[in-house]
Amino acid sequence: MKYNIRITKVKESHLSEVDFNNIPFGRVFSDHMFVVDYKNGEWIDPRIEPFGRFGIHPAAMALHYGQAIFEGMKASKSYDGKPMLFRPERHAHRINNSARRLCMPEIPEDLFLDGLHALIAIDSNWIPAQEGSALYIRPFMFANDEFIGVRPSESYKFFIITGPVGPYYPKPVSLLVEEKYARCAVKGGTGEAKAAGNYAGSLLPAKLAQEKGYDQVMWLDSNEFKYVQEVGTMNIFFVIDGKIITPALDGGILQGITRDSILKIFREKGFQVEERRITIDEVAEAYKAGKLQEVFGAGTAAIVSHVSRILYGELLMELPPVESRKYGELAKAEINGLRSGRIKDTHGWIVPVKSPVAMKVG
Ligand code: COI
């Protein structure tokens, strides 16, 4: 470890209060958090503290102008009990892509990774053992200047918080194709960044979709409302006539790390995979011709989640039962198998959590 991370541990863990067989997503938090401040052009005082509330000035710039970014990643336990991370360096890299787009300072990748390893090592008992469950990891950064006025902040706070989670979507998801509202994540916009504001813009359409009985929105491109982009919470895959098709990264779509992993796995297994523009009409035509075999989403939180039905205008596309889904099930089994160590990692994606021996304990 290059950085001296100051560590203050909780007096008493609240781990025993958690029912690991019934974990609601995003509501349970582990004992500690990693914090580091950016002031006067440098990252200072990296520390691990008891998880808890912190003070914020009412004029903190993130609250007004939305300079806030985040990542979503997971730690799991291998079948023999070792804590593991999935492609952590890709997340360190991606948060800095987001930082650049929002005019925020990059966090040195080794600081991100040292903080991450130290935190997960300390809270490794919080990693659920159940397959499909994991310790969700939420790194985030926000602008902290106490100032009213539009300019980039000069001070920031970076945190990593964690919490055990079960599946984000415990059952297949239903989608409504959004033909009226655009994501703020358009090409040339902030779509490739994991910017908090991208998600804020998705909430009203998602709420309207839920009122109509659909779990989520399927986004189309914001210029022509023609090309499929992604679902608010995950990248999307279609299986049409034996081909696995996913929208190409066009600057408006999140560069999903689960998406990338699944594409590599399918290609290595010899499946026909296409990353390209795909219109919603092509999907509808394939459905009408009986060639739309499967639709599934992929993301850190969602892992691989099957889509049960899609409403596009008047057309309701009902997809086959999960038992017949060979592609989505294969993708899910591969990702879960890698995370549990039951499938051999030939890519160097699975990284054992380092022991924090070299850190200073405050
Ligand atoms: C993730 O997949 O980690 C995300 O950030 C998406 C969110 C729905 C939890």
Side-chain angles (χ1 to χ4, degrees), residues 24 83 116 226 258:
L116 176 68
K226 194 169 158 189
T258 311

Side-chain angles (χ1 to χ4, degrees), residues 142-213:
F142 65 89
N144 202 29
D145 272 11
E146 298 160 5
F147 176 68
I148 300 288
V150 181
R151 61 151 174 80
S153 178
E154 286 166 3
S155 60
Y156 294 85
K157 267 182 142 24
F158 175 84
F159 283 76
I160 305 178
I161 59 173
T162 71
V165 293
Y168 193 78
Y169 291 119
K171 42 185 194 42
V173 282
S174 54
L175 302 178
L176 186 142
V177 177
E178 179 57 61
E179 294 181 85
K180 174 179 172 196
Y181 290 102
R183 296 168 77 211
C184 45
V186 294
K187 188 172 175 181
T190 54
E192 270 186 354
K194 232 168 147 51
N198 291 348
Y199 293 78
S202 73
L203 297 179
L204 175 64
K207 179 168 170 267
L208 297 175
Q210 278 151 18
E211 282 168 8
K212 289 188 186 151

Side-chain angles (χ1 to χ4, degrees), residues 94-115:
R94 192 171 68 174
I95 200 167
N96 282 332
N97 289 344
S98 302
R100 280 192 298 278
R101 180 63 186 85
L102 270 82
C103 205
M104 300 166 85
E106 291 180 37
I107 177 150
E109 286 189 15
D110 50 2
L111 176 56
F112 178 104
L113 293 171
D114 279 6

Side-chain angles (χ1 to χ4, degrees), residues 25 70-73 136 138 168 194 199 232-233 299-302:
F25 198 102
F70 68 96
E71 271 301 310
M73 47 196 303
Y136 188 78
R138 170 51 59 86
Y168 193 78
K194 232 168 147 51
Y199 293 78
T233 45
T300 297

